[in-house]
Amino acid sequence: MATNVVRRWQRDDLMKQRVLIVEDEFLIALDLEATVEGMGMQVAGLANDREQALRLAPLADIAFVDVNLADGPTGPEIGRQLAQEHGIAVVFMTGNPEVVADGVKGAVGVIQKPVMPSVVEQLVKYLAARRVGMFAVVPSQMTVFA
């Protein structure tokens, strides 16, 4: 009985995770938003540069961050700030994974675009479970930072 209560609490906590999408290509951002919302989860907001991302940071638990944004190659620094200063689980989604191949302090990992919706769902589930202390399998397409 107690185990079922804990599992239910953990599942409820999983669904309360809010996702920030830091992406300057509007159609990609909308596609990610639709996938996350289709899972029954909330999108904390869409940001296309550092200023917007940091303004939305207090509303987020998870963030998908592109490397190159509207204000230049600011993604790695944004990801570091989101992770270290706001406790957000950050995964970089980029066509240029080599830029963050050595890792970014505090960030979880990187995945190369294009990313299929099923992989986005796996990533969200992995990051949400990780945040609440549940076991989760790392999506095979993601490179995890040490």
Side-chain angles (χ1 to χ4, degrees), residues 45-123:
L46 305 177
N48 68 7
D49 62 18
R50 178 194 309 256
E51 181 183 334
Q52 291 175 352
L54 296 179
R55 188 169 6 101
L56 292 167
L59 306 174
D61 302 296
I62 294 168
F64 294 134
V65 181
D66 192 4
V67 169
N68 294 305
L69 298 164
D71 56 354
T74 57
E77 178 58 21
I78 292 168
R80 186 199 62 75
Q81 284 185 273
L82 293 175
Q84 290 191 309
E85 297 172 17
H86 299 277
I88 297 171
V90 174
V91 168
F92 293 99
M93 278 189 178
T94 179
N96 305 298
E98 66 280 355
V99 173
V100 292
D102 292 334
V104 172
K105 193 167 186 174
V108 177
V110 62
I111 189 162
Q112 185 166 354
K113 288 190 217 173
V115 183
M116 299 299 296
S118 61
V119 175
V120 172
E121 289 177 10
Q122 291 171 19
L123 283 168

Side-chain angles (χ1 to χ4, degrees), residues 121-139:
E121 289 177 10
Q122 291 171 19
L123 283 168
V124 170
K125 289 176 185 175
Y126 168 74
L127 294 169
R130 180 182 159 126
R131 284 189 53 82
V132 301
M134 291 178 65
F135 174 76
V137 176
V138 176

